[in-house]
Amino acid sequence: MEERIVIVGAGQAGGELAAGLRKQGYQGRVLLLGDEAHPPYQRPPLSKGFLLGKVALKDLYLKPLETYERFGIEFKPGTRVEAIDRSTREISLRDGSRLAYDKLVLATGGRARPLSLPGLEGARLENLFSIRSLADVEAMRGGFLPGNHLVIIGGGYVGLEVAAVAVQSGLRVTLLEAAPRLLSRVTGPEVSSFIERIHRERGVEFRLSCEVRGLELDEARRQVRGVSLACHGVPERLEADLVLVGIGLIPNTELASAAGLAVQNGIVVDEYACTADPAILAIGDCANQPSAYTGGRIRLESVPNAIEHARVAAATLMGKREPSAAIPWFWSDQYGLKLQMVGLSTGYEQCVTRGSVEHKEFSAFYLKDRRVIAADVIGRPAEFMAAKRLVSSRAEVDATRLGDVAVPLTSIAA
Amino acid sequence: MTKIKFIEADGKEHEVEAQEGQSVMQTALNNLVPGIVGECGGFASCATCHGYVDEGWQSKLPPPDAAEEGMIACAFHVKPNSRLTCQIKVTPALDGMVVRLPVSQTSE
Ligand SMILES: Cc1cc2nc3c(=O)[nH]c(=O)nc-3n(C[C@H](O)[C@H](O)[C@H](O)COP(=O)(O)OP(=O)(O)OC[C@H]3O[C@@H](n4cnc5c(N)ncnc54)[C@H](O)[C@@H]3O)c2cc1C
């Protein structure tokens, strides 16, 4: 019988893998199962151009439906996988049917971390949102009306991108962040304060070092009316027309753990995307993989990672062994300003900036042992690839030259 | 009908039908042309949809804007006829265009 690869999760990674197998000439059956109503689509524009109304729905789709058909990829939307039976190599679907696999790839992504506050258990609030899917954005859009007050809980990328779109759409925005600065887990203080400034200039209000104490609900318990909080111990109450929670992601690992596979902040895989079961792989946001870059294990939430991890898995499934050597990178877009980040800055010793913070065109390089371990490139896209090279080569650099815009970055990288 | 021919670095050719108004990058993705990655989804943020537009076709295209130029300046394996295919919109005037692809989009 013809070999079957079944991919669970029709997102960025799953879609890329299905296409990658065909690109490499895979001859067996490829089944791509997703619980959403859409073919694989881009999530980044959900909190940027799509929310702003500048990117159309059909332009979110990574490929038109027709492409899957044409290349023999059996794409099944609205299909939720409920369990894996490793002994018979079958999965069971929500409708009770079972499906056999020769190789199974988990590309289940993650879900938004819910706000955990006493009194919210089981509540389905109509104006409390998070953004992970197209359906989430469509639900939230109704409340995106000029004059409405949006309270955002969480100062990470999603929260900040939505804040930018919201003030541009005429909403009043207050963003609450538990840490003393924005993006504190992913960037240095220089970039945090720059980001805070560009948002403040546009009218976004912030409450940093803020503890959310509770949500005030209407009598029917269907609407949030206000948010109570405390900044440095000083209590405050904010009225809210809608609330967005952007406090991170929980990887969808339940299928794997119920099947007895190791899960530790993601489904544990080796450098070839394989779990301990040789018939099961895991890729993308849901997978925890060894990283040549850090020397340890990481779980990354980014499109470049999903694409690279899908490439590694395609190679593995084709009987080749090509470990990932990619350097993590990520981008964001706020008020049309391009931010590109490469590497992970954790543990840096020195931050060197290049360019003009004032003119919103600068790069911040994070150094450890005189080597660039990460960089944030803001409004200077021409420097991004050079920064990427500096991070990947781990070459020693001269901090003074690095900070001097008169010295071309490519010559430092050389 | 507008046809575009992509030629991989190893010489393998893919002639595909392009839809007017779409980007040349999307055309490659829709047709599973190997060698075009498109990490950022077509927003001139990553330079992984880089291609070389054959002589003769270059003059038919609007010149790259600052964002595209910036990304090309630092892409891998750059040549004088390098473009980001996400920034090129398909028009009937491009029928027959040839786009050659670099050895790699992500490394040297
Ligand atoms: C609002 C937003 C903005 C972002 N912005 C950026 C950005 O600017 N740059 C960047 O690099 N990254 C960004 N990301 C992250 C990026 O989108 C993810 O890293 C990427 O989508 C991960 O791909 P994935 O395939 O692992 O998961 P997903 O794309 O999430 O796909 C997983 C799919 O699996 C489905 N699924 C889960 N369980 C099952 C099951 N049991 N059965 C069937 N289907 C199942 C899910 O419904 C989903 O469709 C953003 C994400 C969001 C939500």
Side-chain angles (χ1 to χ4, degrees):
Chain A
M1 227 177 63
E2 211 178 0
E3 191 189 58
R4 274 190 194 196
I5 295 175
V6 175
I7 304 167
V8 185
Q12 185 91 41
E16 186 72 21
L17 172 62
L21 286 167
R22 287 295 182 234
K23 281 188 203 175
Q24 297 213 23
Y26 179 72
Q27 297 288 334
R29 283 180 70 181
V30 177
L31 285 83
L32 178 61
L33 316 181
D35 57 3
E36 293 185 68
H38 302 276
Y41 59 86
Q42 308 186 51
R43 283 167 211 271
L46 293 181
S47 50
K48 311 178 181 77
F50 183 68
L51 186 57
L52 199 54
K54 281 193 175 161
V55 174
L57 174 66
K58 71 166 178 33
D59 294 329
L60 289 183
Y61 291 174
L62 286 159
K63 295 173 176 64
L65 263 177
E66 182 262 338
T67 294
Y68 299 95
E69 217 175 275
R70 194 149 49 92
F71 290 90
I73 295 164
E74 300 169 52
F75 165 57
K76 298 191 195 310
T79 304
R80 187 164 173 85
V81 176
E82 299 279 11
I84 305 169
D85 186 341
R86 290 167 55 197
S87 60
T88 58
R89 291 204 181 166
E90 281 179 319
I91 50 171
S92 41
L93 309 180
R94 172 156 290 175
D95 67 9
S97 61
R98 293 166 77 86
L99 199 65
Y101 63 85
D102 294 296
K103 290 279 158 62
L104 184 70
V105 184
L106 301 173
T108 47
R111 56 188 182 274
R113 181 183 303 283
L115 197 58
S116 106
L117 283 175
L120 286 188
E121 301 88 4
R124 288 181 68 93
L125 296 164
E126 289 160 357
N127 62 345
L128 178 77
F129 304 99
S130 54
I131 303 193
R132 182 65 199 171
S133 67
L134 241 169
D136 294 338
V137 178
E138 283 173 337
M140 187 173 74
R141 266 192 171 159
F144 253 60
L145 303 171
N148 265 355
H149 187 211
L150 165 67
V151 175
I152 299 175
I153 301 176
Y157 282 112
V158 169
L160 288 164
E161 289 173 358
V162 172
V165 171
V167 291
Q168 290 175 88
S169 309
L171 283 83
R172 290 176 298 131
V173 180
T174 309
L175 187 147
L176 319 180
E177 166 57 50
R181 61 183 179 89
L182 302 172
L183 298 172
S184 59
R185 283 182 309 122
V186 293
T187 195
E190 289 82 357
V191 174
S192 292
S193 65
F194 169 77
I195 302 268
E196 185 182 330
R197 192 190 70 173
I198 61 166
H199 282 274
R200 279 193 195 277
E201 281 173 8
R202 305 287 188 124
V204 177
E205 287 198 30
F206 290 97
R207 300 287 187 278
L208 303 176
S209 302
C210 165
E211 180 203 339
V212 178
R213 294 203 161 154
L215 300 184
E216 217 173 87
L217 310 186
D218 68 349
E219 275 180 15
R221 290 176 47 83
R222 293 174 68 172
Q223 298 272 332
V224 182
R225 291 277 175 252
V227 180
S228 52
L229 54 96
C231 273
H232 302 288
V234 183
E236 187 184 0
R237 176 190 178 273
L238 292 171
E239 304 226 338
D241 297 300
L242 61 163
V243 176
L244 173 80
V245 179
I247 53 173
L249 171 137
I250 300 179
N252 290 328
T253 56
E254 290 74 10
L255 276 179
S257 48
L261 297 169
V263 166
Q264 198 168 33
N265 179 29
I267 304 166
V268 175
V269 295
D270 66 13
E271 59 269 55
Y272 306 107
C274 296
T275 67
D277 181 332
I280 305 181
L281 290 76
I283 55 174
D285 281 15
C286 70
N288 184 320
Q289 57 180 322
S291 162
Y293 165 74
T294 65
R297 285 195 154 269
I298 44 173
R299 190 178 61 75
L300 291 168
E301 297 165 15
S302 77
V303 168
N305 172 65
I307 293 179
E308 172 66 10
H309 216 185
R311 188 194 63 74
V312 170
T316 302
L317 292 166
M318 294 300 288
K320 295 179 248 171
R321 284 173 97 64
E322 294 172 7
S324 166
I327 304 293
W329 82 272
F330 188 83
W331 79 92
S332 179
D333 199 315
Q334 293 161 37
Y335 310 106
L337 201 65
K338 230 186 258 292
L339 298 100
Q340 294 150 299
M341 283 81 40
V342 56
L344 306 170
S345 57
T346 327
Y348 75 93
E349 290 156 355
Q350 188 188 358
C351 173
V352 175
T353 57
R354 174 186 174 90
S356 158
V357 179
E358 199 51 40
H359 292 100
K360 303 177 182 170
E361 270 194 21
F362 71 103
S363 300
F365 294 92
Y366 302 94
L367 271 58
K368 190 178 180 186
D369 300 330
R370 295 168 48 89
R371 291 166 212 278
V372 181
I373 57 167
D376 295 329
V377 179
I378 295 167
R380 293 171 76 83
E383 287 193 341
F384 174 64
M385 298 296 266
K388 216 172 167 185
R389 282 188 178 84
L390 280 176
V391 173
S392 64
S393 71
R394 308 243 165 152
E396 272 197 36
V397 294
D398 174 336
T400 320
R401 279 166 55 84
L402 188 61
D404 183 353
V405 284
V407 181
L409 204 49
T410 41
S411 77
I412 299 169
Chain B
M1 228 164 0
T2 310
K3 294 217 155 148
I4 296 181
K5 189 188 279 182
F6 294 94
I7 306 179
E8 289 184 69
D10 65 7
K12 199 157 167 237
E13 298 190 357
H14 306 261
E15 195 183 42
V16 302
E17 253 170 54
Q19 245 181 58
E20 221 178 290
Q22 260 182 353
S23 70
V24 170
M25 172 197 86
Q26 192 63 49
T27 304
L29 296 183
N30 292 356
N31 291 283
L32 308 197
V33 174
I36 295 256
V37 183
E39 285 182 342
C40 81
F43 298 93
S45 292
C46 70
T48 61
C49 66
H50 167 209
Y52 314 115
V53 172
D54 261 19
E55 280 72 24
W57 296 102
Q58 278 182 77
S59 56
K60 294 200 165 72
L61 303 175
D65 63 11
E68 182 181 348
E69 249 174 5
M71 290 312 293
I72 285 176
C74 285
F76 298 105
H77 316 286
V78 177
K79 294 183 187 174
N81 56 342
S82 286
R83 293 293 303 254
L84 293 188
T85 57
C86 71
Q87 300 300 300
I88 306 176
K89 274 225 152 52
V90 174
T91 61
L94 300 189
D95 188 30
M97 180 163 81
V98 176
V99 180
R100 288 168 205 277
L101 302 176
V103 211
S104 165
Q105 295 282 6
T106 53
S107 66
E108 272 150 317

